[in-house]
Amino acid sequence: MSKQHDIVASQDNANEYDEDTIVNPSANPHFEDVLAARLSRRVALKGGITTAASALLGGSILSACGSSDDSPAPAPAPAPAPAPQPAPLKIGFNAVAKNKNDLVTVADGYNVSILHALGDPMHFGDESWKDDGSETADSYNRRVGDGHDGMYFFGLSDAGAFDAKRSDRGLLAVNHEYVVAPYGLHPAGRATGAARNATEVEKEIYAHGVSVCEVKRDATGTAMSMVRGSKYNRRVTSATTMDFTGPAKGSAQLQTLFSPTGVQTRGTNNNCANGYTPWGTYLTCEENYLNVISRAAGDDALRSGAKEVASLSRYGLPQNRKSPYLWETAGTADLFARWNSSVTGAAATADYRNTINTFGWVVEIDPFAPDSVPAKRTALGRFNHEGAWPAEAVAGKPIVIYMGDDSRNEYIYKFVSKANWDAADVGKGMAAGAKYLDEGTLYVAKFNADGTGNWMALTFGANGLTAANTTYAFADQADVVINARIAGDILGATKMDRPEWGAVHPTNGEVYMTLTNNNEANRVPPTSTPTGRQAKPDAANPRYYEDMKGTASQKGNPNGHIIRWKEDAADVTKLTWDVYLFGAQADAAADVNLSGLADSNDFSSPDGLYFDKRGMLWIQTDDGAYTDITNCMMLAALPGKVGDGGVANAAGGTQTIAGAKATSDTLRRFLVGPKECEITGIAMTPDYKTLFFNVQHPGEESTPDWNAKTFGSYWPANQADPTVKKRPRSATVVITRKDGGEIGI
Ligand code: FEO
Ligand code: CA
Ligand code: CA
């Protein structure tokens, strides 16, 4: 952030995104609300189930009340009066129909407004978005970035500290995963030519990363606006200086011209999903960093040997590989040259051969300290990090964080801290991060066919991860975390159907993770012999089928599924799993539609996932298989628990363990997004009255006509007025209930 824009917090609460709020007309009370109130009283009176969460775990609410609801409840004992019980959680909105509208269509009774979109200025002194790509490159150090993705809401106290209970004022941290090439940033898409235009590339470098902005409710409601000019508003970009911490800090594999000692780097990139810590910091996760990293022809021969080449290959960077963004072609300035991960100097301290190793990490940012230096926490391993989801912190127990490597046939990981949680560390920012995230054990998951699973430690010296290993001779723990994928290969981890988001059930601690899809090149038929990194279906990734109903035939597991597991209470290396939910079209064959999805809740390619503290699970889609029928969507779910279903035979003939089938009471579509977008990123205020989600890359699949100004989507400008036609932009959406109540129930 430059000095001239480091402006003190302003009283001006104007939202830069000024399209009118859409108001849905209906706020009728729902039948479910009435039923919930009734059921609540009955559950309390019968005394058999003591909490809302446990009421759900034994089965659906309908089965809990269906058998005896018509008979009078037994008369309550005259004394003592039963203690008041919380109402059982019920989904309380009507399902939104699948549609292809160029709008956010949310359930009746809810409002939609836009918090911020690509290019909105976060400070005073920069002009508003002009819709013509004329914004300066430098101004993107102070504007909202592109490709909104994972995010988190941190309550902000009057004293400027983290307050986990505060709902009316907070800091919203948002990932800006990538720039949507045809739209938004530049005057008329990306300039053509072998070398990139330097101004365009500089703008793109600043439009990646993370934004932190203060958000505030006005006095009249639960909707939120960005506080423009707040002293907390901050951009972290692909050029921001950050530290390496943990076992890989100072490793020779992290040495660069910028940091010859390997203790710092610049930039976080392709920040997909996220996490948060109980001490009040944000975790942003580096996923598709190969978008921006190139490697020269003939580079293998210049490397130190086979081990270094094996690492580059396993992380997807063969020699003579040009990145899609070609940032390194924009000029010889360090800002650009560093994206060429090739040997160009006499030593690693004189070039950027190690750029590849400086990405693929979990990065911690303290949103409450705008001048703090972000840290790449290397103990959590290097891979295509989708996100980092913490289990509930328990005093005196380690911090546990679950992670997935979002590539086809990659692995699921968890990190268990060495230090035990002490609630006195809340608010201690990066110092607390150093305490909990720099020392611990990284594990990789194996899912066995019988429903059990194993967490295998990626610890140097254990499990064959030694210098004597004939596949890859590990030098130390730095080598293990930098090459976590290779360590996972050696340990026989289970190849998954692209791990995306995770979420931990707030009361029973079971962990859910979306496996968004897999294709025929990687998840091959059960009858074939896999080669390379291909995998046959297995119990945890069981389906192989052909989706003939989409715009094009897709084979493999085109609709994805959601796995879940329960940790063993006594042994940190053991788990029990099932498949909670299978994505499918409602009219698919029974061995594809294994979860019994219907029109009100069918979906494809689950991606974003979020448990609110009440126990409602929110599922978002990033789909390319069902898009002839519907745009991407968000659903609300009330899951049961591991083992609530049974053995099932999946399409292709592989046996699996499926969770209980979904019903309209346990899974319901809440909203549908605009054209050609992905729905991603979920955050909620602690009072459940404001929900944030992101629309990423609306209109991305169409080729724009810059003269006629025709685009594949005109969202978000058209949300309030369908006749408005402006460039599509990624944006954060605010959902509130028209009557001000809790969302979803
Ligand atoms: Fe950026 Fe894994 O989706
Ligand atoms: Ca994602
Ligand atoms: Ca995705």
Side-chain angles (χ1 to χ4, degrees), residues 149 177 272-273 287 386 406 498 500-501 607-608 622 678 680:
D149 209 329
E177 186 183 25
C272 195
E287 189 199 36
E386 175 74 18
D406 181 10
R498 280 191 60 199
E500 291 264 13
W501 286 55
D607 191 339
D622 173 14
E678 152 182 0
T680 185

Side-chain angles (χ1 to χ4, degrees), residues 273-329:
N274 65 298
Y276 57 93
T277 67
W279 51 95
T281 61
Y282 186 64
L283 301 177
T284 185
C285 298
E286 300 177 338
E287 189 199 36
N288 293 315
Y289 48 89
L290 288 173
N291 274 348
V292 295
I293 300 173
S294 295
R295 193 164 159 242
D299 191 58
D300 279 355
L302 304 176
R303 295 283 175 164
S304 61
K307 193 177 141 180
E308 193 176 357
V309 172
S311 170
L312 290 160
S313 168
R314 184 65 180 85
Y315 281 80
L317 190 65
Q319 62 180 355
N320 194 24
R321 193 257 182 191
K322 291 185 177 17
S323 77
Y325 284 62
L326 295 172
W327 283 354
E328 75 285 357
T329 67

Side-chain angles (χ1 to χ4, degrees), residues 205-293:
I205 287 170
Y206 302 145
H208 279 76
V210 176
S211 62
V212 178
C213 71
E214 184 180 343
V215 294
K216 213 157 115 176
R217 286 178 181 159
D218 66 23
T220 59
T222 51
M224 291 267 187
S225 304
M226 176 169 81
V227 181
R228 190 174 175 183
S230 165
K231 68 179 180 181
Y232 298 103
N233 291 359
R234 173 191 196 182
R235 281 302 317 283
V236 173
T237 75
S238 295
T240 302
T241 297
M242 40 195 79
D243 292 332
F244 285 115
T245 69
K249 176 185 178 181
S251 163
Q253 294 176 74
L254 297 180
Q255 292 173 341
T256 56
L257 176 61
F258 174 72
S259 179
T261 54
V263 298
Q264 278 199 318
T265 187
R266 285 163 300 173
T268 185
N269 229 89
N270 304 96
N271 306 81
C272 195
N274 65 298
Y276 57 93
T277 67
W279 51 95
T281 61
Y282 186 64
L283 301 177
T284 185
C285 298
E286 300 177 338
E287 189 199 36
N288 293 315
Y289 48 89
L290 288 173
N291 274 348
V292 295
I293 300 173

Side-chain angles (χ1 to χ4, degrees), residues 130-457:
K130 286 238 191 64
D131 206 50
D132 61 6
S134 64
E135 291 79 19
T136 65
D138 172 69
S139 75
Y140 272 88
N141 281 310
R142 303 173 300 276
R143 292 181 186 272
V144 172
D146 203 353
H148 294 52
D149 209 329
M151 64 179 158
Y152 196 74
F153 174 88
F154 297 90
L156 176 66
S157 76
D158 291 343
F162 173 47
D163 179 352
K165 292 196 166 62
R166 184 94 183 237
S167 291
D168 62 339
R169 183 186 183 215
L171 300 178
L172 190 74
V174 177
N175 287 348
H176 298 290
E177 186 183 25
Y178 75 118
V179 298
V180 183
Y183 291 122
L185 283 182
H186 308 314
R190 183 165 133 177
T192 54
R196 295 290 318 278
N197 170 295
T199 302
E200 285 187 7
V201 172
E202 189 175 357
K203 200 185 276 193
E204 291 174 11
I205 287 170
Y206 302 145
H208 279 76
V210 176
S211 62
V212 178
C213 71
E214 184 180 343
V215 294
K216 213 157 115 176
R217 286 178 181 159
D218 66 23
T220 59
T222 51
M224 291 267 187
S225 304
M226 176 169 81
V227 181
R228 190 174 175 183
S230 165
K231 68 179 180 181
Y232 298 103
N233 291 359
R234 173 191 196 182
R235 281 302 317 283
V236 173
T237 75
S238 295
T240 302
T241 297
M242 40 195 79
D243 292 332
F244 285 115
T245 69
K249 176 185 178 181
S251 163
Q253 294 176 74
L254 297 180
Q255 292 173 341
T256 56
L257 176 61
F258 174 72
S259 179
T261 54
V263 298
Q264 278 199 318
T265 187
R266 285 163 300 173
T268 185
N269 229 89
N270 304 96
N271 306 81
C272 195
N274 65 298
Y276 57 93
T277 67
W279 51 95
T281 61
Y282 186 64
L283 301 177
T284 185
C285 298
E286 300 177 338
E287 189 199 36
N288 293 315
Y289 48 89
L290 288 173
N291 274 348
V292 295
I293 300 173
S294 295
R295 193 164 159 242
D299 191 58
D300 279 355
L302 304 176
R303 295 283 175 164
S304 61
K307 193 177 141 180
E308 193 176 357
V309 172
S311 170
L312 290 160
S313 168
R314 184 65 180 85
Y315 281 80
L317 190 65
Q319 62 180 355
N320 194 24
R321 193 257 182 191
K322 291 185 177 17
S323 77
Y325 284 62
L326 295 172
W327 283 354
E328 75 285 357
T329 67
T332 54
D334 197 66
L335 184 68
F336 309 124
R338 59 177 290 232
W339 303 102
N340 176 16
S341 191
S342 304
V343 175
T344 60
T349 54
D351 62 24
Y352 289 101
R353 70 186 67 179
N354 285 332
T355 286
I356 178 75
N357 296 337
T358 66
F359 292 102
W361 300 107
V362 174
V363 181
E364 185 177 23
I365 296 171
D366 183 354
F368 299 91
D371 296 326
S372 60
V373 177
K376 298 203 177 193
R377 301 292 186 194
T378 69
L380 281 68
R382 183 175 71 102
F383 41 90
N384 282 29
H385 274 283
E386 175 74 18
W389 293 278
E392 287 290 315
V394 178
K397 303 270 190 196
I399 296 293
V400 180
I401 294 180
Y402 298 98
M403 302 172 287
D405 182 349
D406 181 10
S407 288
R408 294 191 169 90
N409 295 341
E410 291 297 347
Y411 308 135
I412 289 173
Y413 298 81
K414 78 168 170 180
F415 172 80
V416 179
S417 70
K418 184 177 176 197
N420 291 326
W421 174 238
D422 178 353
D425 288 326
V426 173
K428 291 192 179 163
M430 302 304 287
K435 175 177 173 183
Y436 295 105
L437 301 181
D438 286 343
E439 276 190 276
T441 305
L442 183 65
Y443 296 89
V444 68
K446 183 177 186 183
F447 296 91
N448 304 314
D450 64 357
T452 65
N454 307 95
W455 289 112
M456 303 174 293

Side-chain angles (χ1 to χ4, degrees), residues 446-453 494 538-540 577 647 654-657:
K446 183 177 186 183
F447 296 91
N448 304 314
D450 64 357
T452 65
T494 302
D538 58 29
W577 65 269
V647 170
T654 304
Q655 199 172 74
T656 187
I657 304 160

